[in-house]
Amino acid sequence: MVMKLRYPYQNPVDALLNYLKVRPHDTFLINEHGLSLTYENLYKSSAKLANSLDILDVGYGDKVAVVMNNSIEAVISLFAVWMLGASAVLIDPLTISEDLDYQLGDSVPKVVITDKSVIERKIAVLSKYRVVGVGVSGQGVLSFQELLGSGSITGFRPAEVRGDDVGLIYYYAGIAGRTMQVWHTYFSLYSGPYAFGEAIGLSPKDSVLVVAQLSHILGLTGLMSAFVRGAKAVIAKYFDAKDTPELIRRYGITVFAGVPLMFDQILNNPVLNNKDLSPNALSSLRLTLSAAAPLPPATQLGFYQRFGVPLVQFYGLTEAYVLTVQPIKYKDVTGMVGSAIPGAELKIVDLNDPSKELGVGSVGELAARAPWVMKGYSDPDDTRKAFHNGWLLTGDLMVMDDEDLLYFRGVKKMMIKYKGYPIFPRDLEIILMKHPAVKETYVTGEQAKDPSIGQLPMAYVVLHDEYRVRCLKRN
């Protein structure tokens, strides 16, 4: 039976307007250096930036690329885009130049908001676009700080959006196995994180640590879950095993979600395994959660035994935020990803016939239906392939037991998981084929010696005859 939820708001901006009325001076966001934003600060800063972007001809239905490391400025940028009724195209700041060039060329943003470090590394690609840079100005780059300072909130009103308007775009390969736009609506931006927060009991008493990148669905879910549930969010530029325990202690973090490698490094890092990281070092935590890759049972059990904090697996995907959470009290954890969160419907279907639902104990493809499932891909044909009668076909193979608990059994779609990040063989093959020496190539994943790393990409290449190295036979 599906637990139905009532959602207080239909989009993040309406929620922010409410906080502005009832909790304007409460702190919502803090960075690792202690700089904080109240809800009022967030509204005013986002509205000022939105007003400046409006002058730059950004409006309802347009696209703005956000290519930024985790920061307060990144969060302000997202809300500014949403206040204009535009779509935020979230791109990994560490993406290679070829991918960045493709994603920007494909999405055609009116403006690219990015960091100084990205500009320094990718100026050849970014020079084709109108760029707003944090901590930099001149050379054709508009200053983020100057736009924020010159913007005004006098007479500014956020755009009215429909729930099914596209507010967020990720680039992901999905079922097709090649990179394309994944469209999420304004309502899914609110409903998905809200349902996840409901599943883990997130409340205004909590403080959530966000170290996964916002350009990854895991990082954005952490941030937005804290926001829509009224909790505090602490955001760090990136994960550092040495610094994270101190952030948890300093800010009284109660909820921390990451990838398995993060927890493994905290648990097994020789620098941390001394008197400075006692069993009580993480005492403020009530719950830690792991996703994006299988969680080794040794890491899960070891983390609990050492720190007394439950570490549970949850499951989601770029097309659908979070769908399952493992129960805190579990028996056999091997491969378990938990049961459906409130508002989500899940079933196991036949690999060759998705109209056929499979029973308990049968391995098949996980199909999902929820208000926060993606609107679709940019390619209509691939969108049709991804759905069957309104159900998203996830491409993941699972089995369900008689308690509705799901166990991961593999993937149908071609994908490599490296340190929790998805790598799609077809994308790598396309890059390799651009080299004049390459005639044919096949990319696959091979298991790394360290299970926390996951898989390593391995390419098999056939060269054109003129590039082959001829070996002389020994006499």
Side-chain angles (χ1 to χ4, degrees):
M1 182 177 179
V2 180
M3 176 181 172
K4 293 186 177 181
L5 287 178
R6 295 184 64 183
Y7 304 99
Y9 299 97
Q10 297 294 299
N11 63 72
V13 175
D14 283 350
L16 180 55
L17 290 172
N18 180 67
Y19 288 134
L20 193 62
K21 294 177 182 177
V22 300
R23 299 175 55 187
H25 305 302
D26 286 358
T27 297
F28 161 58
L29 190 65
I30 306 174
N31 72 5
E32 70 264 46
H33 304 299
L35 182 64
S36 64
L37 281 185
T38 64
Y39 291 105
E40 183 177 57
N41 295 149
L42 177 59
Y43 175 82
K44 288 183 176 180
S45 296
S46 300
K48 287 179 179 179
L49 181 59
N51 205 17
S52 292
L53 292 175
D54 181 55
I55 295 172
L56 297 176
D57 198 31
V58 178
Y60 177 85
D62 288 330
K63 295 173 184 174
V64 176
V66 179
V67 193
M68 306 177 74
N69 293 290
N70 283 2
S71 63
I72 285 179
E73 291 86 354
V75 178
I76 291 171
S77 298
L78 288 176
F79 276 87
V81 173
W82 295 333
M83 284 183 175
L84 292 169
S87 300
V89 184
L90 273 172
I91 299 176
D92 189 338
L94 296 179
T95 192
I96 62 174
S97 296
E98 290 86 351
D99 281 350
L100 179 61
D101 194 25
Y102 166 74
Q103 293 174 27
L104 292 177
D106 181 67
S107 58
V108 195
K110 283 284 187 74
V111 171
V112 179
I113 307 177
T114 189
D115 299 324
K116 181 179 180 181
S117 61
V118 179
I119 293 171
E120 291 173 345
R121 289 184 291 107
K122 310 293 183 184
I123 188 61
V125 175
L126 294 172
S127 61
K128 305 173 188 177
Y129 302 90
R130 175 176 280 173
V131 177
V132 173
V134 175
V136 64
S137 62
Q139 297 181 336
V141 176
L142 299 171
S143 167
F144 179 94
Q145 284 75 15
E146 289 179 7
L147 287 182
L148 202 61
S150 62
S152 171
I153 62 172
T154 303
F156 177 80
R157 294 184 62 182
E160 293 186 8
V161 297
R162 299 188 301 270
D164 64 348
D165 284 339
V166 176
L168 175 69
I169 296 173
Y170 272 117
Y171 272 88
Y172 195 64
I175 296 167
R178 60 182 179 85
T179 301
M180 69 185 77
Q181 297 177 25
V182 179
W183 293 346
H184 277 289
T185 67
Y186 274 86
F187 182 56
S188 72
L189 268 168
Y190 188 93
S191 60
Y194 187 88
F196 178 56
E198 180 75 12
I200 62 174
L202 204 58
S203 78
K205 296 180 180 179
D206 284 304
S207 294
V208 179
L209 180 60
V210 181
V211 292
Q213 292 297 304
L214 298 181
S215 54
H216 191 291
I217 197 71
L218 173 60
L220 188 74
T221 298
L223 173 78
M224 295 306 295
S225 294
F227 174 75
V228 300
R229 303 289 299 190
K232 186 183 298 179
V234 176
I235 191 167
K237 184 176 180 180
Y238 48 76
F239 171 78
D240 187 302
K242 300 187 295 297
D243 296 339
T244 295
E246 172 58 21
L247 288 176
I248 292 172
R249 184 201 63 78
R250 186 189 312 159
Y251 296 112
I253 300 298
T254 60
V255 177
F256 168 34
V259 301
L261 185 62
M262 294 178 182
F263 300 103
D264 190 64
Q265 287 185 354
I266 291 174
L267 186 62
N268 299 309
N269 191 311
V271 177
L272 297 175
N273 287 340
N274 54 35
K275 61 182 180 181
D276 296 328
L277 192 62
S278 68
N280 296 323
L282 309 182
S283 59
S284 65
L285 287 171
R286 68 172 180 85
L287 182 64
T288 53
L289 303 110
S290 176
L295 176 64
T299 302
Q300 186 172 34
L301 183 60
F303 200 88
Y304 177 75
Q305 288 177 334
R306 181 164 187 195
F307 302 114
V309 181
L311 173 58
V312 303
Q313 178 95 47
F314 68 104
Y315 163 82
L317 59 164
T318 301
E319 293 91 340
Y321 295 95
V322 178
L323 292 172
T324 76
V325 174
Q326 194 180 67
I328 293 178
K329 293 182 179 180
Y330 35 76
K331 39 183 182 179
D332 178 16
V333 300
T334 305
M336 185 206 292
V337 297
S339 56
I341 68 172
E345 299 177 76
L346 304 176
K347 65 181 180 179
I348 306 297
V349 299
D350 187 273
L351 283 172
N352 300 311
D353 182 6
S355 65
K356 181 181 178 182
E357 184 174 355
L358 303 181
V360 170
S362 297
V363 177
E365 183 173 7
L366 179 68
R369 187 164 62 183
W372 55 87
V373 166
M374 69 169 182
K375 185 173 185 175
Y377 298 119
S378 50
D379 187 320
D381 289 335
D382 283 307
T383 300
R384 283 190 288 271
K385 294 175 185 176
F387 287 90
H388 180 77
N389 290 338
W391 290 78
L392 176 70
L393 303 175
T394 65
D396 290 317
L397 307 182
M398 296 200 187
V399 61
M400 185 181 292
D401 68 13
D402 56 4
E403 296 180 1
D404 293 334
L405 293 170
L406 290 160
Y407 296 80
F408 182 77
R409 290 294 182 261
V411 295
K412 178 181 178 182
K413 54 194 175 186
M414 288 294 294
M415 180 174 64
I416 300 165
K417 274 295 184 78
Y418 172 73
K419 295 184 178 181
Y421 282 89
I423 298 173
F424 293 90
R426 185 56 187 155
D427 289 343
L428 296 183
E429 288 168 356
I430 290 171
I431 292 171
L432 289 171
M433 287 298 292
K434 291 179 179 179
H435 195 286
V438 177
K439 180 180 180 181
E440 296 178 45
T441 184
Y442 172 73
V443 175
T444 186
E446 293 191 1
Q447 185 62 44
K449 292 182 179 180
D450 184 347
S452 65
I453 290 176
Q455 296 174 295
L456 297 173
M458 179 66 68
Y460 297 88
V461 177
V462 177
L463 300 179
H464 288 289
D465 291 343
E466 59 269 30
Y467 287 91
R468 290 181 181 176
V469 177
R470 299 184 181 276
C471 298
L472 296 176
K473 292 182 179 181
R474 290 185 181 181
N475 292 328

